[in-house]
């Protein structure tokens, strides 16, 4: 009888255990949530290249930069959206602010944890999405900046003619082209799952961008060197048009001012 009661008691305990599972085991089974929590519990992590003090100050600095990025670009978006007079002439600036805002919201927080801990906590899928989002938003930011320079250049060199062409449809077309080109650079590794995600037993998990030589050349040239070759001549022409032109006009203005002062003095003497 006692044995039967013991068996029944054990079965009841198993039933209760099945109905009320161990939350610790659930957390440990849900990746990357458990490892993400372990980063804060075991700060700065088992594989961090920094000691606790270095990791603390580095984290604080990076969080401060992230906050400035989010706050500054969110403010720009709010001002342009809220004040109607800024909307028509600042579509490209809004697109630039959105790309930088996405960098601050989507890219920088995981990057801080990865940089400080030396370990990727968020799993394979998140790794691929995060890397592509990083390339997409950073490239779109550079292309937006490049297009803003071109837009300002045309507005300066041909103000009356170009102002009539700065329609909402044209600006929307520019923005569509910018983000499409950025996708052409960021999406290939995601579509082919070519990014490097390596889980090392008893070691840190690696999450790195696609390292193929051809893709690296393609991404670097498309994302940096081509926009750089566009921005530098345009900015130089703008500088030359405004600053150098004004400097060249200074002696003429001073001479004309002196002549006018002399004429005024002669007239005053004649009156006296």
């Amino acid at each position: 009888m006692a044995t039967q009661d013991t068996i029944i008691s054990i079965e009841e305990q198993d039933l209760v255990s099945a109905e009320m599972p161990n939350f610790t085991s659930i957390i440990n089974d849900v990746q990357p949530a458990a490892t993400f929590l372990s980063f804060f519990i075991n700060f700065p992590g088992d594989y961090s290249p920094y000691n606790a003090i270095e990791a603390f100050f580095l984290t604080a600095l990076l969080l401060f930069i992230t906050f400035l990025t989010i706050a500054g670009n969110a403010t720009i978006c709010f001002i342009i959206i809220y004040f109607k007079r800024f909307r028509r002439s600042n579509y490209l600036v809004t697109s630039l602010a959105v790309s930088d805002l996405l960098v601050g919201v989507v890219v920088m927080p995981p990057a801080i944890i990865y940089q400080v801990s030396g370990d990727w906590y968020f799993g394979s899928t998140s790794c691929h999405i995060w890397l592509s989002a990083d390339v997409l938003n950073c490239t779109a930011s550079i292309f937006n900046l490049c297009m803003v320079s071109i837009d300002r250049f045309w507005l300066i060199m041909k103000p009356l003619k170009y102002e009539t062409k700065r329609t909402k449809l044209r600006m929307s077309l520019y923005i569509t082209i910018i983000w499409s080109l950025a996708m052409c650079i960021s999406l290939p590794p995601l579509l082919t799952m070519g990014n490097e995600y390596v889980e090392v037993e008893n070691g840190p998990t690696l999450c790195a961008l696609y390292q193929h030589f051809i893709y690296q050349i393609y991404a670097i040239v498309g994302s940096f060197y081509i926009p750089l070759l566009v921005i530098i001549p345009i900015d130089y022409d703008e500088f030359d048009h405004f600053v150098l032109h004004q400097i060249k006009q200074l002696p003429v203005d001073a001479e004309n001012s002196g002549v006018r002062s002399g004429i005024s003095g002669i007239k005053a003497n004649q009156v006296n």
Side-chain angles (χ1 to χ4, degrees):
M1 186 67 178
T3 304
Q4 185 178 1
D5 292 339
T6 303
I7 295 174
I8 294 174
S9 176
I10 293 173
E11 291 177 350
E12 291 177 350
Q13 291 177 359
D14 293 338
L15 181 61
V16 171
S17 299
E19 293 176 351
M20 300 180 63
N22 189 340
F23 289 101
T24 303
S25 62
I26 291 178
I27 293 176
N28 291 331
D29 289 338
V30 177
Q31 298 291 339
T35 49
F36 177 72
L37 292 176
S38 70
F39 169 73
F40 295 98
I41 296 173
N42 302 319
F43 182 84
D46 298 331
Y47 309 107
S48 175
Y50 310 100
N51 59 45
I53 297 177
E54 292 174 342
F56 174 79
F57 284 105
L58 178 61
T59 302
L61 175 62
L62 296 177
L63 286 175
F64 178 69
I65 295 173
T66 302
F67 171 77
L68 291 180
T69 301
I70 295 174
N73 289 285
T75 302
I76 293 174
C77 293
F78 172 77
I79 291 174
I80 294 175
I81 293 172
Y82 185 78
F83 296 100
K84 294 183 179 179
R85 64 179 180 272
F86 293 123
R87 293 180 187 175
R88 181 188 173 190
S89 59
N90 289 291
Y91 288 107
L92 293 173
V93 176
T94 305
S95 179
L96 174 62
V98 169
S99 62
D100 291 339
L101 180 62
L102 290 174
V103 171
V105 173
V106 178
V107 177
M108 295 179 72
I112 293 173
I113 296 176
Y114 189 35
Q115 174 66 34
V116 173
S117 67
D119 193 9
W120 180 256
Y121 290 91
F122 305 101
S124 174
T125 303
S126 298
C127 170
H128 293 290
I129 295 175
W130 174 69
L131 290 171
S132 295
D134 185 5
V135 178
L136 172 65
N137 293 305
C138 291
T139 304
S141 178
I142 296 172
F143 287 169
N144 277 304
L145 186 61
C146 182
M147 194 62 223
V148 168
S149 298
I150 297 173
D151 178 70
R152 295 298 184 262
F153 175 76
W154 287 339
L155 193 60
I156 291 169
M157 303 305 293
K158 300 178 181 179
L160 298 179
K161 184 177 180 180
Y162 182 64
E163 180 63 30
T164 59
K165 297 181 179 181
R166 298 179 78 225
T167 62
K168 181 178 180 180
L169 179 61
R170 182 181 289 266
M171 294 296 106
S172 300
L173 178 61
Y174 289 161
I175 294 172
T176 302
I177 294 173
I178 287 168
W179 285 91
S180 298
L181 291 175
M183 288 181 183
C184 290
I185 294 177
S186 64
L187 290 183
L190 179 64
L191 297 177
T192 61
M193 300 300 283
N195 296 316
E196 293 187 7
Y197 178 80
V198 180
E199 293 182 350
V200 180
E201 186 177 357
N202 298 323
T205 300
L206 173 67
C207 177
L209 189 64
Y210 189 38
Q211 298 298 312
H212 194 280
F213 177 75
I214 296 178
Y215 174 76
Q216 291 288 326
I217 297 297
Y218 164 71
I220 292 173
V221 172
S223 298
F224 297 101
Y225 289 107
I226 292 179
L228 184 65
L229 293 176
V230 173
I231 291 175
I232 289 179
I234 289 177
D235 288 346
Y236 177 79
D237 287 341
E238 292 177 358
F239 177 81
D240 179 70
H241 184 270
F242 274 97
V243 179
L244 297 182
H245 182 71
Q246 294 297 325
I247 292 175
K248 293 177 182 179
Q249 293 297 319
L250 286 177
V252 178
D253 294 340
E255 183 179 351
N256 293 337
S257 177
V259 172
R260 286 193 296 268
S261 299
I263 294 174
S264 300
I266 293 173
K267 291 182 178 180
N269 291 332
Q270 291 176 351
V271 172
N272 294 334

